[in-house]
Amino acid sequence: MAVTHATTSTAFRAERIDTESKWYDLFQKGVELGTWDVEKLFDEVGFEADREILASLEPAERTQIRYLLSGFLDGEFAVGEDASHHLQRIAGAPCFDDNEEMEMYMTMFTLTEHKHTQFIDVYMHEVLGEQDAFADLNPKRGGARVPIVQATGLGDVYDRQGQLTARAAHSTDPVDIAKALTVYHMIVEGLLARGGFYSINKLSGNAPLPLLNHGFKFISTDEGRHITHGVEALSELIEKERAGEPEFQGVSRAIVDVLYENVASIADFGYMFTDAVDDPLEIGFDDLLLRVGRLIDGQFNEALDLDVDHHRVVGLVADRHQECLETDVDDAVREYRKLYRRKRAADGGRDDD
Ligand SMILES: [Fe+2]
Ligand SMILES: [Fe+2]
């Protein structure tokens, strides 16, 4: 395969656990690197410097940061939930070798996703102030989505991730699993989250927020391991397909199809914090797209050795971007807020109108 993940040369051997498995290696890396303590980070760095810098920014600049973090808040919550409910079961599917070690790794994986939600949720509340995130609505799913996430359509990709991971967890069919892991690891983590990290790095030139940058350094390191896990798991399925195993036929096709079906979500996410808010912190939608284009080549063509049609991808994202430009997102945000408030009133919840 094109991808081989170097395993650490652990000196330890065991009886039930294969300490030479690549999943064991990722588990151990997760234990070493993924146990950063969110509350300790808050104590050590504190909120004050970030609050002061944010207070010195223009309102439009603050909005841009809030929108960017809103995409992460809903995204991290969704991946944490789908990891807990579905990925853990997928790791036990018969189509994978080394299930024990993969299941061990998934516990670290899920823990880090919940910590990402913890960091972003507390940060937004403590630093940006109460945003009315409608958390009282739909409490089983951590609250209704942030209105801007719904208004741009970004929420749809999180819904599809939920549907595809649920289906794969129940069927344990290799083609269903390939679809689920593609939307989860390759699109949401590999393209959306990485595009978001790129944007946070870029805006830190104009708004150097120490706590935010610290937290996201940890989050992006964690996500690097998650994407490695996704590439390894998909490579294993592709390898079995190419070896001619009947139940794996269709895996490569499914991966590429899921990319085409979901890649336009890049435009939804980018629109939220670039053009929609006039990009005061100068992140630049075109630069973001170039970066994402390189990521697609790296993940799909190089790492997975597939054949993605670059022009088709660019066309899909450009078309969706055009649709976003023609939509009144501010108006859609107001509509979602109204809808949520009506639902809150109907639920007999708090009345803040
Ligand atoms: Fe995450
Ligand atoms: Fe992740």
Side-chain angles (χ1 to χ4, degrees):
M1 272 317 295
V3 174
T4 46
H5 183 72
T7 52
T8 47
S9 50
T10 178
F12 307 114
R13 296 289 173 266
E15 308 241 336
R16 299 187 181 201
I17 300 165
D18 177 5
T19 57
E20 292 182 312
S21 158
K22 59 182 181 269
W23 309 120
Y24 176 85
D25 182 42
L26 275 176
F27 168 75
Q28 185 55 28
K29 280 215 177 78
V31 172
E32 283 169 23
L33 304 169
T35 51
W36 57 286
D37 183 330
V38 175
E39 287 207 358
K40 212 179 255 172
L41 183 68
F42 290 148
D43 286 342
E44 281 169 10
V45 181
F47 299 107
E48 219 32 64
D50 287 54
R51 282 184 191 133
E52 277 171 21
I53 290 166
L54 274 163
S56 74
L57 297 177
E58 297 293 323
E61 295 172 327
R62 276 197 296 277
T63 299
Q64 185 167 25
I65 293 171
R66 185 160 57 81
Y67 279 4
L68 174 54
L69 293 180
S70 297
F72 269 103
L73 179 66
D74 278 343
E76 291 290 359
F77 191 87
V79 291
E81 187 174 60
D82 292 335
S84 298
H85 294 168
H86 310 311
L87 292 194
Q88 191 74 39
R89 288 181 61 173
I90 290 172
C95 59
F96 289 116
D97 306 328
D98 295 348
N99 294 102
E100 286 297 330
E101 294 74 17
M102 204 178 186
E103 286 173 357
M104 281 170 73
Y105 171 63
M106 281 315 303
T107 61
M108 289 310 304
F109 183 107
T110 305
L111 172 74
T112 52
E113 294 299 17
H114 290 306
K115 283 199 303 184
H116 300 169
T117 306
Q118 179 191 14
F119 176 81
I120 295 164
D121 199 0
V122 174
Y123 183 92
M124 289 182 80
H125 182 80
E126 292 289 339
V127 177
L128 291 166
E130 197 172 340
Q131 304 295 328
D132 198 351
F134 302 96
D136 53 320
L137 300 180
N138 202 6
K140 278 195 186 131
R141 291 188 68 87
R145 292 228 169 83
V146 183
I148 182 69
V149 177
Q150 284 299 60
T152 57
L154 181 66
D156 294 349
V157 75
Y158 301 146
D159 287 339
R160 281 195 292 277
Q161 175 194 286
Q163 289 153 6
L164 291 176
T165 52
R167 190 199 296 164
H170 286 93
S171 76
T172 67
D173 175 78
V175 174
D176 285 345
I177 290 176
K179 288 180 185 169
L181 300 191
T182 299
V183 73
Y184 192 112
H185 299 294
M186 301 289 105
I187 310 275
V188 173
E189 296 185 317
L191 302 181
L192 293 175
R194 274 174 153 175
F197 300 147
Y198 168 81
S199 305
I200 282 174
N201 271 336
K202 214 164 165 203
L203 74 79
S204 71
N206 289 318
L209 300 158
L211 179 58
L212 187 75
N213 287 327
H214 251 90
F216 267 90
K217 215 170 273 166
F218 285 121
I219 292 174
S220 63
T221 308
D222 292 341
E223 292 301 340
R225 289 192 309 281
H226 297 180
I227 294 161
T228 299
H229 158 80
V231 168
E232 292 288 353
L234 287 169
S235 297
E236 196 173 320
L237 300 178
I238 293 170
E239 204 167 346
K240 288 172 182 171
E241 179 187 36
R242 288 178 185 167
E245 294 188 39
E247 68 271 36
F248 292 81
Q249 300 310 304
V251 160
S252 296
R253 180 68 200 266
I255 294 170
V256 175
D257 283 349
V258 167
L259 171 68
Y260 294 145
E261 283 157 22
N262 294 281
V263 74
S265 56
I266 302 298
D268 297 322
F269 191 32
Y271 187 78
M272 234 164 84
F273 55 84
T274 56
D275 301 278
V277 289
D278 298 327
D279 197 15
L281 292 168
E282 300 165 322
I283 293 169
F285 187 72
D286 291 342
D287 290 347
L288 175 71
L289 275 190
L290 272 177
R291 170 87 184 125
V292 167
R294 281 197 291 272
L295 290 172
I296 290 173
D297 270 341
Q299 289 173 197
F300 290 89
N301 292 334
E302 289 166 31
L304 293 178
D305 192 23
L306 296 170
D307 193 13
V308 166
D309 180 346
H310 203 83
H311 288 291
R312 185 165 170 194
V313 167
V314 170
L316 287 163
V317 178
D319 287 353
R320 178 65 194 142
H321 183 55
Q322 195 54 40
E323 277 173 33
C324 289
L325 289 173
E326 288 160 11
T327 308
D328 187 341
V329 171
D330 288 342
D331 189 51
V333 169
R334 278 192 295 274
E335 284 304 311
Y336 273 109
R337 284 191 171 276
K338 252 193 251 167
L339 188 85
Y340 286 173
R341 291 203 166 109
R342 270 205 303 275
K343 185 168 163 28
R344 177 178 281 162
D347 288 352
R350 71 186 207 218
D351 181 12
D352 57 358
D353 274 325

